[in-house]
Amino acid sequence: MTEVLDRATGRDDRDRLFATAPGAAVDLAVPLGPLTLANPVMPASGCFGPELGPLLPVRELGAVVTKTVFAQRRSGNPSHRLTESALGMLNSVGIPSPGTSRFVHDVLPRYREFGVPVIASVGGLTVDEYWQVADELAGAECAAFEVNVSCPNLEHGGLAIGADPAAVEAVVAGVVARTELPVLVKLTPGVTDIAEIARAAERAGATAVTVSNTFPALAVDVRSRRAVLGNGVGGLSGPAVKPLALRLVWQAASAVDIPVVGCGGISSARDVVEFLIAGATAVQVGTATFTRPYAMAEIVRDLARHCAELGAGAAHELIGTLRA
């Protein structure tokens, strides 16, 4: 992280962020079903790990979301896995995973050390694998599951499970039947009608839906005339996708009665407020942490001021207030 000295105090960013947070007159707490978060800000799955703990006061976040865990160990996609794009980046990481056993024994305890709710991201390449992961995480000390239905379905030619309402309903219903924890469902944007998929998750008993994952994209190396990413295509994220994500959040929130977690291009407290107004109850921050690992802490500390400037005494008062 680039250290920026405060000329008035001589302190760097880490000193400032790890100092006691200023008291907030605005209530930032938000509900996700039975789970109440101290504030609506959390990392997006895959964009935050315990190794970032020394770079920001994680205790101030509403929750942390783990990287997606599969039943067996996965190494992910070939390099290159990341490349920059205008106002964002493309990734084709391929979701490496240690497998459920190592996750429970070695990885999850490190997330729990932060003292905030831990949401475990559940993956699967088949419908049955999601259920297997849920079974193997039974009893694990986490606050909720986030079912990542953006994974390719090997039973149907690699299409994202999240593109098929029936598959989403089956996956989610199976996970819900296997846990008493809240179940969030992370949706893919690569669908014709996000409302239809959100309703399928709701019918299956989802506590909330996360909208959305990265947008399918391609980067080309003109000299080699090959794709830049080792896997060919990747997922676009960052500020470039924020207007698209906002629309999807608004559509999903208009279609279901369960909370929506907004994700896509969020890098400031103002962005969070926009997502709340569009209908999100909470948000996830991803790409911003790659260039500013402390971004989420800055957002949390600035959020109360933005709410107060809009006349809101609590963050939840802004949810779904977009005017026609």
Side-chain angles (χ1 to χ4, degrees), residues 254-288:
S254 300
V256 296
D257 294 323
I258 56 177
V260 174
V261 178
C263 183
I266 296 171
S267 61
S268 69
R270 173 163 181 156
D271 292 336
V272 174
V273 168
E274 290 181 26
F275 273 84
L276 295 179
I277 291 172
T281 294
V283 299
Q284 294 180 352
V285 179
T287 303

PDB file of all heavy atoms in Angstrom, residues 254-288:
ATOM      1  N   SER A 254     -36.905  -4.517  -7.002  1.00  0.00           N
ATOM      2  CA  SER A 254     -38.305  -4.282  -7.371  1.00  0.00           C
ATOM      3  C   SER A 254     -39.078  -5.586  -7.522  1.00  0.00           C
ATOM      4  O   SER A 254     -40.312  -5.575  -7.509  1.00  0.00           O
ATOM      5  CB  SER A 254     -38.378  -3.492  -8.685  1.00  0.00           C
ATOM      6  OG  SER A 254     -37.731  -2.239  -8.572  1.00  0.00           O
ATOM      7  N   ALA A 255     -38.352  -6.694  -7.660  1.00  0.00           N
ATOM      8  CA  ALA A 255     -39.000  -7.972  -7.966  1.00  0.00           C
ATOM      9  C   ALA A 255     -39.176  -8.876  -6.758  1.00  0.00           C
ATOM     10  O   ALA A 255     -39.997  -9.788  -6.794  1.00  0.00           O
ATOM     11  CB  ALA A 255     -38.195  -8.716  -9.033  1.00  0.00           C
ATOM     12  N   VAL A 256     -38.377  -8.655  -5.697  1.00  0.00           N
ATOM     13  CA  VAL A 256     -38.419  -9.577  -4.558  1.00  0.00           C
ATOM     14  C   VAL A 256     -38.639  -8.802  -3.259  1.00  0.00           C
ATOM     15  O   VAL A 256     -38.436  -7.585  -3.190  1.00  0.00           O
ATOM     16  CB  VAL A 256     -37.111 -10.393  -4.452  1.00  0.00           C
ATOM     17  CG1 VAL A 256     -36.936 -11.278  -5.678  1.00  0.00           C
ATOM     18  CG2 VAL A 256     -35.900  -9.481  -4.267  1.00  0.00           C
ATOM     19  N   ASP A 257     -39.043  -9.537  -2.234  1.00  0.00           N
ATOM     20  CA  ASP A 257     -39.263  -8.941  -0.912  1.00  0.00           C
ATOM     21  C   ASP A 257     -38.101  -9.183   0.033  1.00  0.00           C
ATOM     22  O   ASP A 257     -38.101  -8.679   1.162  1.00  0.00           O
ATOM     23  CB  ASP A 257     -40.545  -9.512  -0.294  1.00  0.00           C
ATOM     24  CG  ASP A 257     -41.792  -9.110  -1.061  1.00  0.00           C
ATOM     25  OD1 ASP A 257     -41.831  -7.965  -1.551  1.00  0.00           O
ATOM     26  OD2 ASP A 257     -42.718  -9.934  -1.177  1.00  0.00           O
ATOM     27  N   ILE A 258     -37.110  -9.962  -0.386  1.00  0.00           N
ATOM     28  CA  ILE A 258     -35.933 -10.199   0.446  1.00  0.00           C
ATOM     29  C   ILE A 258     -34.882  -9.122   0.148  1.00  0.00           C
ATOM     30  O   ILE A 258     -34.935  -8.463  -0.892  1.00  0.00           O
ATOM     31  CB  ILE A 258     -35.354 -11.601   0.197  1.00  0.00           C
ATOM     32  CG1 ILE A 258     -35.025 -11.804  -1.291  1.00  0.00           C
ATOM     33  CG2 ILE A 258     -36.317 -12.676   0.689  1.00  0.00           C
ATOM     34  CD1 ILE A 258     -34.376 -13.160  -1.610  1.00  0.00           C
ATOM     35  N   PRO A 259     -33.921  -8.924   1.052  1.00  0.00           N
ATOM     36  CA  PRO A 259     -32.899  -7.893   0.830  1.00  0.00           C
ATOM     37  C   PRO A 259     -32.022  -8.193  -0.384  1.00  0.00           C
ATOM     38  O   PRO A 259     -31.823  -9.349  -0.764  1.00  0.00           O
ATOM     39  CB  PRO A 259     -32.071  -7.930   2.118  1.00  0.00           C
ATOM     40  CG  PRO A 259     -32.949  -8.568   3.138  1.00  0.00           C
ATOM     41  CD  PRO A 259     -33.800  -9.543   2.387  1.00  0.00           C
ATOM     42  N   VAL A 260     -31.505  -7.121  -0.965  1.00  0.00           N
ATOM     43  CA  VAL A 260     -30.551  -7.213  -2.074  1.00  0.00           C
ATOM     44  C   VAL A 260     -29.230  -6.618  -1.610  1.00  0.00           C
ATOM     45  O   VAL A 260     -29.196  -5.530  -1.027  1.00  0.00           O
ATOM     46  CB  VAL A 260     -31.058  -6.456  -3.317  1.00  0.00           C
ATOM     47  CG1 VAL A 260     -29.996  -6.437  -4.417  1.00  0.00           C
ATOM     48  CG2 VAL A 260     -32.350  -7.079  -3.836  1.00  0.00           C
ATOM     49  N   VAL A 261     -28.150  -7.331  -1.848  1.00  0.00           N
ATOM     50  CA  VAL A 261     -26.803  -6.827  -1.569  1.00  0.00           C
ATOM     51  C   VAL A 261     -26.215  -6.356  -2.894  1.00  0.00           C
ATOM     52  O   VAL A 261     -26.091  -7.150  -3.831  1.00  0.00           O
ATOM     53  CB  VAL A 261     -25.916  -7.910  -0.936  1.00  0.00           C
ATOM     54  CG1 VAL A 261     -24.505  -7.367  -0.692  1.00  0.00           C
ATOM     55  CG2 VAL A 261     -26.527  -8.408   0.368  1.00  0.00           C
ATOM     56  N   GLY A 262     -25.881  -5.085  -2.992  1.00  0.00           N
ATOM     57  CA  GLY A 262     -25.384  -4.521  -4.243  1.00  0.00           C
ATOM     58  C   GLY A 262     -23.887  -4.686  -4.388  1.00  0.00           C
ATOM     59  O   GLY A 262     -23.140  -4.526  -3.432  1.00  0.00           O
ATOM     60  N   CYS A 263     -23.446  -4.984  -5.608  1.00  0.00           N
ATOM     61  CA  CYS A 263     -22.027  -5.194  -5.870  1.00  0.00           C
ATOM     62  C   CYS A 263     -21.719  -4.805  -7.305  1.00  0.00           C
ATOM     63  O   CYS A 263     -22.397  -5.257  -8.226  1.00  0.00           O
ATOM     64  CB  CYS A 263     -21.671  -6.665  -5.618  1.00  0.00           C
ATOM     65  SG  CYS A 263     -19.931  -7.059  -5.819  1.00  0.00           S
ATOM     66  N   GLY A 264     -20.700  -3.981  -7.479  1.00  0.00           N
ATOM     67  CA  GLY A 264     -20.296  -3.605  -8.828  1.00  0.00           C
ATOM     68  C   GLY A 264     -19.810  -2.169  -8.908  1.00  0.00           C
ATOM     69  O   GLY A 264     -20.620  -1.253  -8.944  1.00  0.00           O
ATOM     70  N   GLY A 265     -18.502  -1.976  -8.902  1.00  0.00           N
ATOM     71  CA  GLY A 265     -17.932  -0.649  -9.109  1.00  0.00           C
ATOM     72  C   GLY A 265     -17.968   0.276  -7.915  1.00  0.00           C
ATOM     73  O   GLY A 265     -17.773   1.490  -8.060  1.00  0.00           O
ATOM     74  N   ILE A 266     -18.190  -0.232  -6.723  1.00  0.00           N
ATOM     75  CA  ILE A 266     -18.293   0.628  -5.532  1.00  0.00           C
ATOM     76  C   ILE A 266     -16.900   0.966  -5.025  1.00  0.00           C
ATOM     77  O   ILE A 266     -16.103   0.069  -4.731  1.00  0.00           O
ATOM     78  CB  ILE A 266     -19.109  -0.069  -4.436  1.00  0.00           C
ATOM     79  CG1 ILE A 266     -20.542  -0.283  -4.916  1.00  0.00           C
ATOM     80  CG2 ILE A 266     -19.088   0.741  -3.140  1.00  0.00           C
ATOM     81  CD1 ILE A 266     -21.375  -1.159  -4.007  1.00  0.00           C
ATOM     82  N   SER A 267     -16.606   2.256  -4.912  1.00  0.00           N
ATOM     83  CA  SER A 267     -15.291   2.671  -4.421  1.00  0.00           C
ATOM     84  C   SER A 267     -15.355   3.839  -3.448  1.00  0.00           C
ATOM     85  O   SER A 267     -14.322   4.306  -2.986  1.00  0.00           O
ATOM     86  CB  SER A 267     -14.376   3.044  -5.600  1.00  0.00           C
ATOM     87  OG  SER A 267     -14.920   4.124  -6.341  1.00  0.00           O
ATOM     88  N   SER A 268     -16.560   4.327  -3.138  1.00  0.00           N
ATOM     89  CA  SER A 268     -16.697   5.467  -2.237  1.00  0.00           C
ATOM     90  C   SER A 268     -18.005   5.362  -1.468  1.00  0.00           C
ATOM     91  O   SER A 268     -18.897   4.589  -1.832  1.00  0.00           O
ATOM     92  CB  SER A 268     -16.685   6.782  -3.023  1.00  0.00           C
ATOM     93  OG  SER A 268     -17.872   6.899  -3.809  1.00  0.00           O
ATOM     94  N   ALA A 269     -18.123   6.168  -0.413  1.00  0.00           N
ATOM     95  CA  ALA A 269     -19.360   6.197   0.368  1.00  0.00           C
ATOM     96  C   ALA A 269     -20.524   6.699  -0.480  1.00  0.00           C
ATOM     97  O   ALA A 269     -21.660   6.253  -0.318  1.00  0.00           O
ATOM     98  CB  ALA A 269     -19.170   7.077   1.604  1.00  0.00           C
ATOM     99  N   ARG A 270     -20.258   7.613  -1.389  1.00  0.00           N
ATOM    100  CA  ARG A 270     -21.324   8.090  -2.262  1.00  0.00           C
ATOM    101  C   ARG A 270     -21.865   6.948  -3.121  1.00  0.00           C
ATOM    102  O   ARG A 270     -23.067   6.844  -3.346  1.00  0.00           O
ATOM    103  CB  ARG A 270     -20.833   9.225  -3.151  1.00  0.00           C
ATOM    104  CG  ARG A 270     -21.880   9.611  -4.179  1.00  0.00           C
ATOM    105  CD  ARG A 270     -21.666  10.924  -4.802  1.00  0.00           C
ATOM    106  NE  ARG A 270     -22.748  11.182  -5.755  1.00  0.00           N
ATOM    107  CZ  ARG A 270     -23.125  12.382  -6.145  1.00  0.00           C
ATOM    108  NH1 ARG A 270     -22.550  13.440  -5.638  1.00  0.00           N
ATOM    109  NH2 ARG A 270     -24.080  12.527  -7.024  1.00  0.00           N
ATOM    110  N   ASP A 271     -20.970   6.080  -3.607  1.00  0.00           N
ATOM    111  CA  ASP A 271     -21.420   4.918  -4.377  1.00  0.00           C
ATOM    112  C   ASP A 271     -22.351   4.052  -3.530  1.00  0.00           C
ATOM    113  O   ASP A 271     -23.380   3.568  -4.018  1.00  0.00           O
ATOM    114  CB  ASP A 271     -20.223   4.079  -4.818  1.00  0.00           C
ATOM    115  CG  ASP A 271     -19.351   4.777  -5.849  1.00  0.00           C
ATOM    116  OD1 ASP A 271     -19.856   5.672  -6.560  1.00  0.00           O
ATOM    117  OD2 ASP A 271     -18.164   4.429  -5.941  1.00  0.00           O
ATOM    118  N   VAL A 272     -21.994   3.853  -2.259  1.00  0.00           N
ATOM    119  CA  VAL A 272     -22.834   3.051  -1.367  1.00  0.00           C
ATOM    120  C   VAL A 272     -24.226   3.660  -1.268  1.00  0.00           C
ATOM    121  O   VAL A 272     -25.243   2.961  -1.361  1.00  0.00           O
ATOM    122  CB  VAL A 272     -22.198   2.935   0.023  1.00  0.00           C
ATOM    123  CG1 VAL A 272     -23.149   2.211   0.986  1.00  0.00           C
ATOM    124  CG2 VAL A 272     -20.870   2.201  -0.051  1.00  0.00           C
ATOM    125  N   VAL A 273     -24.278   4.975  -1.078  1.00  0.00           N
ATOM    126  CA  VAL A 273     -25.567   5.657  -0.965  1.00  0.00           C
ATOM    127  C   VAL A 273     -26.393   5.464  -2.236  1.00  0.00           C
ATOM    128  O   VAL A 273     -27.609   5.236  -2.176  1.00  0.00           O
ATOM    129  CB  VAL A 273     -25.351   7.151  -0.658  1.00  0.00           C
ATOM    130  CG1 VAL A 273     -26.645   7.938  -0.826  1.00  0.00           C
ATOM    131  CG2 VAL A 273     -24.804   7.325   0.753  1.00  0.00           C
ATOM    132  N   GLU A 274     -25.760   5.539  -3.389  1.00  0.00           N
ATOM    133  CA  GLU A 274     -26.489   5.320  -4.646  1.00  0.00           C
ATOM    134  C   GLU A 274     -27.112   3.924  -4.678  1.00  0.00           C
ATOM    135  O   GLU A 274     -28.259   3.750  -5.105  1.00  0.00           O
ATOM    136  CB  GLU A 274     -25.543   5.510  -5.832  1.00  0.00           C
ATOM    137  CG  GLU A 274     -25.109   6.955  -6.053  1.00  0.00           C
ATOM    138  CD  GLU A 274     -24.193   7.092  -7.259  1.00  0.00           C
ATOM    139  OE1 GLU A 274     -24.275   6.240  -8.175  1.00  0.00           O
ATOM    140  OE2 GLU A 274     -23.388   8.037  -7.289  1.00  0.00           O
ATOM    141  N   PHE A 275     -26.355   2.924  -4.246  1.00  0.00           N
ATOM    142  CA  PHE A 275     -26.883   1.556  -4.243  1.00  0.00           C
ATOM    143  C   PHE A 275     -28.013   1.401  -3.241  1.00  0.00           C
ATOM    144  O   PHE A 275     -29.002   0.704  -3.515  1.00  0.00           O
ATOM    145  CB  PHE A 275     -25.761   0.560  -3.960  1.00  0.00           C
ATOM    146  CG  PHE A 275     -25.025   0.118  -5.194  1.00  0.00           C
ATOM    147  CD1 PHE A 275     -23.993   0.889  -5.713  1.00  0.00           C
ATOM    148  CD2 PHE A 275     -25.365  -1.045  -5.843  1.00  0.00           C
ATOM    149  CE1 PHE A 275     -23.311   0.502  -6.848  1.00  0.00           C
ATOM    150  CE2 PHE A 275     -24.697  -1.458  -6.994  1.00  0.00           C
ATOM    151  CZ  PHE A 275     -23.666  -0.676  -7.503  1.00  0.00           C
ATOM    152  N   LEU A 276     -27.913   2.044  -2.075  1.00  0.00           N
ATOM    153  CA  LEU A 276     -28.998   1.977  -1.106  1.00  0.00           C
ATOM    154  C   LEU A 276     -30.269   2.591  -1.692  1.00  0.00           C
ATOM    155  O   LEU A 276     -31.362   2.015  -1.600  1.00  0.00           O
ATOM    156  CB  LEU A 276     -28.608   2.702   0.181  1.00  0.00           C
ATOM    157  CG  LEU A 276     -27.459   2.107   0.995  1.00  0.00           C
ATOM    158  CD1 LEU A 276     -27.199   2.977   2.229  1.00  0.00           C
ATOM    159  CD2 LEU A 276     -27.727   0.674   1.420  1.00  0.00           C
ATOM    160  N   ILE A 277     -30.141   3.742  -2.309  1.00  0.00           N
ATOM    161  CA  ILE A 277     -31.301   4.411  -2.901  1.00  0.00           C
ATOM    162  C   ILE A 277     -31.921   3.541  -3.989  1.00  0.00           C
ATOM    163  O   ILE A 277     -33.146   3.467  -4.145  1.00  0.00           O
ATOM    164  CB  ILE A 277     -30.893   5.789  -3.450  1.00  0.00           C
ATOM    165  CG1 ILE A 277     -30.552   6.742  -2.281  1.00  0.00           C
ATOM    166  CG2 ILE A 277     -32.005   6.394  -4.306  1.00  0.00           C
ATOM    167  CD1 ILE A 277     -29.953   8.067  -2.712  1.00  0.00           C
ATOM    168  N   ALA A 278     -31.070   2.834  -4.748  1.00  0.00           N
ATOM    169  CA  ALA A 278     -31.572   1.968  -5.829  1.00  0.00           C
ATOM    170  C   ALA A 278     -32.252   0.712  -5.294  1.00  0.00           C
ATOM    171  O   ALA A 278     -32.905  -0.001  -6.063  1.00  0.00           O
ATOM    172  CB  ALA A 278     -30.436   1.583  -6.763  1.00  0.00           C
ATOM    173  N   GLY A 279     -32.097   0.434  -3.993  1.00  0.00           N
ATOM    174  CA  GLY A 279     -32.792  -0.714  -3.418  1.00  0.00           C
ATOM    175  C   GLY A 279     -31.940  -1.694  -2.655  1.00  0.00           C
ATOM    176  O   GLY A 279     -32.456  -2.653  -2.076  1.00  0.00           O
ATOM    177  N   ALA A 280     -30.620  -1.499  -2.645  1.00  0.00           N
ATOM    178  CA  ALA A 280     -29.746  -2.412  -1.909  1.00  0.00           C
ATOM    179  C   ALA A 280     -29.861  -2.171  -0.408  1.00  0.00           C
ATOM    180  O   ALA A 280     -30.020  -1.040   0.042  1.00  0.00           O
ATOM    181  CB  ALA A 280     -28.298  -2.229  -2.356  1.00  0.00           C
ATOM    182  N   THR A 281     -29.764  -3.242   0.354  1.00  0.00           N
ATOM    183  CA  THR A 281     -29.732  -3.142   1.815  1.00  0.00           C
ATOM    184  C   THR A 281     -28.301  -3.078   2.322  1.00  0.00           C
ATOM    185  O   THR A 281     -28.013  -2.446   3.334  1.00  0.00           O
ATOM    186  CB  THR A 281     -30.458  -4.358   2.436  1.00  0.00           C
ATOM    187  OG1 THR A 281     -31.842  -4.289   2.088  1.00  0.00           O
ATOM    188  CG2 THR A 281     -30.321  -4.388   3.947  1.00  0.00           C
ATOM    189  N   ALA A 282     -27.402  -3.745   1.629  1.00  0.00           N
ATOM    190  CA  ALA A 282     -25.979  -3.748   1.962  1.00  0.00           C
ATOM    191  C   ALA A 282     -25.201  -3.767   0.651  1.00  0.00           C
ATOM    192  O   ALA A 282     -25.788  -3.891  -0.427  1.00  0.00           O
ATOM    193  CB  ALA A 282     -25.627  -4.948   2.837  1.00  0.00           C
ATOM    194  N   VAL A 283     -23.869  -3.658   0.745  1.00  0.00           N
ATOM    195  CA  VAL A 283     -23.047  -3.618  -0.463  1.00  0.00           C
ATOM    196  C   VAL A 283     -21.773  -4.428  -0.263  1.00  0.00           C
ATOM    197  O   VAL A 283     -21.359  -4.708   0.857  1.00  0.00           O
ATOM    198  CB  VAL A 283     -22.652  -2.174  -0.850  1.00  0.00           C
ATOM    199  CG1 VAL A 283     -23.875  -1.321  -1.137  1.00  0.00           C
ATOM    200  CG2 VAL A 283     -21.775  -1.543   0.224  1.00  0.00           C
ATOM    201  N   GLN A 284     -21.171  -4.789  -1.388  1.00  0.00           N
ATOM    202  CA  GLN A 284     -19.868  -5.441  -1.374  1.00  0.00           C
ATOM    203  C   GLN A 284     -18.889  -4.649  -2.229  1.00  0.00           C
ATOM    204  O   GLN A 284     -19.251  -4.141  -3.288  1.00  0.00           O
ATOM    205  CB  GLN A 284     -19.986  -6.883  -1.887  1.00  0.00           C
ATOM    206  CG  GLN A 284     -20.810  -7.771  -0.972  1.00  0.00           C
ATOM    207  CD  GLN A 284     -20.920  -9.195  -1.474  1.00  0.00           C
ATOM    208  OE1 GLN A 284     -20.515  -9.522  -2.588  1.00  0.00           O
ATOM    209  NE2 GLN A 284     -21.489 -10.064  -0.647  1.00  0.00           N
ATOM    210  N   VAL A 285     -17.658  -4.570  -1.743  1.00  0.00           N
ATOM    211  CA  VAL A 285     -16.603  -3.807  -2.414  1.00  0.00           C
ATOM    212  C   VAL A 285     -15.554  -4.793  -2.911  1.00  0.00           C
ATOM    213  O   VAL A 285     -15.094  -5.659  -2.154  1.00  0.00           O
ATOM    214  CB  VAL A 285     -15.970  -2.790  -1.450  1.00  0.00           C
ATOM    215  CG1 VAL A 285     -14.854  -2.016  -2.146  1.00  0.00           C
ATOM    216  CG2 VAL A 285     -17.031  -1.846  -0.905  1.00  0.00           C
ATOM    217  N   GLY A 286     -15.178  -4.666  -4.169  1.00  0.00           N
ATOM    218  CA  GLY A 286     -14.219  -5.602  -4.737  1.00  0.00           C
ATOM    219  C   GLY A 286     -12.994  -4.943  -5.324  1.00  0.00           C
ATOM    220  O   GLY A 286     -11.965  -4.798  -4.677  1.00  0.00           O
ATOM    221  N   THR A 287     -13.101  -4.476  -6.562  1.00  0.00           N
ATOM    222  CA  THR A 287     -11.947  -3.972  -7.307  1.00  0.00           C
ATOM    223  C   THR A 287     -11.237  -2.828  -6.604  1.00  0.00           C
ATOM    224  O   THR A 287     -10.011  -2.708  -6.690  1.00  0.00           O
ATOM    225  CB  THR A 287     -12.396  -3.540  -8.713  1.00  0.00           C
ATOM    226  OG1 THR A 287     -13.010  -4.663  -9.366  1.00  0.00           O
ATOM    227  CG2 THR A 287     -11.231  -3.056  -9.552  1.00  0.00           C
ATOM    228  N   ALA A 288     -11.963  -1.985  -5.907  1.00  0.00           N
ATOM    229  CA  ALA A 288     -11.343  -0.838  -5.226  1.00  0.00           C
ATOM    230  C   ALA A 288     -10.245  -1.262  -4.271  1.00  0.00           C
ATOM    231  O   ALA A 288      -9.267  -0.534  -4.059  1.00  0.00           O
ATOM    232  CB  ALA A 288     -12.407  -0.029  -4.478  1.00  0.00           C
TER     233      ALA A 288
END
